Amino acid sequence: MPTGIFPSPDAHAPRGEVEPDARPMPHGSSRTYRAGGDRGAIATMLEMSVSAGPADRCLDMSITAQALDGVYGRSAAGVRARLERDGNGGWLDLADAETDSDGCISEWRDKRLERGLYRIRFDSDYYFVGLGLNAAYPEIIVTFRMQDDTDAYQIQVMLSPYSYSTHFRIA
């Protein structure tokens, strides 16, 4: 029985034979797929895209930020954040916000930004003190470059008291 989400299209072929139009999967997988696709796989992919999580619901603006709680495995609601832009030898404050119940910053929904260097300062200390925990990193600063003001940029940070990780995505 093949492992993974998608059944191997050659599962229906006699053992040792692969359908003539079977091709290797992208990204180095040893599995194969048929040209034209598999209806079951397509249905699964559509179902996965329809049931997108909170991170995908935040993508309808020029920039979004989302904080995730790595301790409890949920969105981090109530994280204070500040958006800043590099300008003339210093950082200019653009907006302050707090994450909502999905961990997203909705206050930046209508903010249109230009190309340039930006950063978001997440106040992790305030968040973890509210949970009764101490954080090794009192703030997490994520610096990034916006190269095209027509794209939607998403910055995610996963918070833990003694570590953090970031993810940058252009949609």
Side-chain angles (χ1 to χ4, degrees):
M1 181 58 104
T3 60
I5 297 174
F6 304 111
S8 175
D10 57 349
H12 304 293
R15 197 155 195 62
E17 294 180 27
V18 178
E19 294 183 11
D21 60 348
R23 299 183 183 143
M25 289 289 283
H27 309 297
S29 172
S30 62
R31 302 198 43 209
T32 58
Y33 69 98
R34 279 194 310 255
D38 178 358
R39 288 184 184 169
I42 293 169
T44 303
M45 288 177 12
L46 287 173
E47 182 179 285
M48 289 169 61
S49 67
V50 169
S51 62
D56 293 324
R57 290 195 298 264
C58 298
L59 287 177
D60 57 353
M61 66 185 96
S62 61
I63 186 171
T64 58
Q66 184 180 33
L68 304 169
D69 185 322
V71 175
Y72 297 106
R74 62 183 181 204
S75 299
V79 176
R80 295 177 180 172
R82 173 176 288 154
L83 177 64
E84 300 173 337
R85 186 175 200 279
D86 183 34
N88 298 335
W91 290 97
L92 307 171
D93 291 347
L94 298 180
D96 290 323
E98 190 170 299
T99 58
D100 62 17
S101 61
D102 285 332
C104 295
I105 299 196
S106 59
E107 290 85 357
W108 299 345
R109 187 171 308 280
D110 297 325
K111 188 165 273 307
R112 298 292 172 223
L113 305 170
E114 303 171 349
R115 295 178 188 186
L117 197 58
Y118 291 84
R119 72 181 183 185
I120 301 174
R121 300 170 68 105
F122 293 93
D123 187 351
S124 56
D125 203 34
Y126 175 81
Y127 176 74
F128 284 117
V129 166
L131 296 176
L133 301 170
N134 291 321
Y137 300 100
E139 67 180 9
I140 296 165
I141 301 172
V142 180
T143 305
F144 59 98
R145 185 177 319 279
M146 289 186 63
Q147 296 182 13
D148 189 344
D149 54 4
T150 61
D151 288 333
Y153 292 79
Q154 181 183 30
I155 288 66
Q156 285 183 327
V157 63
M158 182 171 296
L159 309 168
S160 292
Y162 297 99
S163 68
Y164 66 90
S165 65
T166 62
H167 176 75
F168 177 82
R169 178 172 136 178
I170 301 173

